[in-house]
Amino acid sequence: SKMPDLQGKTVLDIGCGTSILSLFAARAGAGKVIGVDRADIIDFARKVVSVNGLDSVVTLKKGKLEELEDIGQVDVIVSEWMGYFLLFESMLDTVIFARDKWLKPGGQILPNVATMYLCGIDDGERVDFWDNVYGFNMTVIKEAIYEQGLWEPMVEVVEGDTVVTESATIKVIDIATVAKEDCDFTSTFHLPAKRESMC
């Protein structure tokens, strides 16, 4: 997709961390960049901004965004707000707060859309762990996992060959219009199997 025009714009970087998105915005021609983070990493980020000679464009503020004084209207909001499985422990609430309070009409939010997908995997190694746990036979647990569905959700990277179903889109979130309540949802989906599996 087309890169947004940041020339001369005021940009708010939410959860700026090391300030990398603030630096990219400045490099893309933003007239003013305000980065906000409540973590101590911002102390190092200030040095990063200085070392790169961008003090005149990038201002970093430490604190919880919702508790900061009015920062004024902004043209663009950037944030790496995504949490585990997109919404768990995410900063989307903070992005929504900033959007509603400081984003000018017609302003941009980057990223502007988030899509959640779901697919089934078969990772037999994870279940085979129960065959021998530090020398103890715990296959009873393995059997219960299969028979009673005692699976717990996990967030991790898996190999492509463990995917055993088609993927399904379960939620599309337009960041420009989403409300906090929209993030508590149910979704009907189908995961057609691509091959036989224990999942």
Side-chain angles (χ1 to χ4, degrees):
S1 71
K2 185 181 166 195
M3 182 67 180
D5 178 18
L6 300 183
Q7 198 65 42
K9 303 260 175 88
T10 299
V11 177
L12 173 61
D13 180 2
I14 300 171
C16 66
T18 63
S19 76
I20 189 67
L21 295 181
S22 295
L23 298 175
F24 282 139
R27 181 185 285 169
K32 179 180 182 182
V33 180
I34 305 156
V36 179
D37 205 302
R38 61 195 283 180
D40 290 338
I41 188 70
I42 201 160
D43 299 326
F44 295 100
R46 286 187 177 113
K47 294 177 183 174
V48 170
V49 169
S50 181
V51 164
N52 285 280
L54 293 169
D55 306 86
S56 63
V57 178
V58 178
T59 302
L60 300 181
K61 297 178 179 266
K62 185 174 184 178
K64 186 174 180 183
L65 183 84
E66 294 87 343
E67 297 171 357
L68 290 179
E69 75 278 0
D70 189 16
I71 60 168
Q73 295 289 287
V74 299
D75 302 295
V76 180
I77 293 174
V78 296
S79 181
E80 190 181 338
W81 57 264
M82 298 70 89
Y84 296 111
F85 199 48
L86 193 62
L87 297 175
F88 183 68
E89 295 183 352
S90 80
M91 295 190 317
L92 184 56
D93 291 359
T94 302
V95 172
I96 292 169
F97 173 86
R99 176 199 69 196
D100 295 347
K101 187 164 184 174
W102 294 309
L103 187 64
K104 290 179 182 175
Q108 294 180 292
I109 303 174
L110 303 172
N112 60 346
V113 175
T115 305
M116 296 176 75
Y117 298 94
L118 190 67
C119 68
I121 67 164
D122 182 356
D123 190 358
E125 290 179 18
R126 185 162 326 285
V127 179
D128 291 341
F129 162 82
W130 296 105
D131 288 340
N132 181 336
V133 180
Y134 304 108
F136 295 100
N137 180 336
M138 298 187 78
T139 54
V140 171
I141 305 294
K142 179 180 178 178
E143 292 165 8
I145 288 171
Y146 284 122
E147 293 169 10
Q148 299 175 27
L150 298 179
W151 298 97
E152 291 186 14
M154 290 176 263
V155 178
E156 57 187 71
V157 176
V158 297
E159 296 297 324
D161 61 357
T162 65
V163 176
V164 295
T165 69
E166 299 294 329
S167 64
T169 301
I170 61 168
K171 184 75 170 172
V172 176
I173 301 170
D174 180 346
I175 311 305
T177 60
V178 68
K180 189 176 174 179
E181 306 78 55
D182 297 333
C183 296
D184 184 10
F185 67 95
T186 59
S187 177
T188 301
F189 59 89
H190 299 281
L191 297 176
K194 297 196 302 190
R195 61 182 169 92
E196 213 171 285
S197 169
M198 293 295 290
C199 83

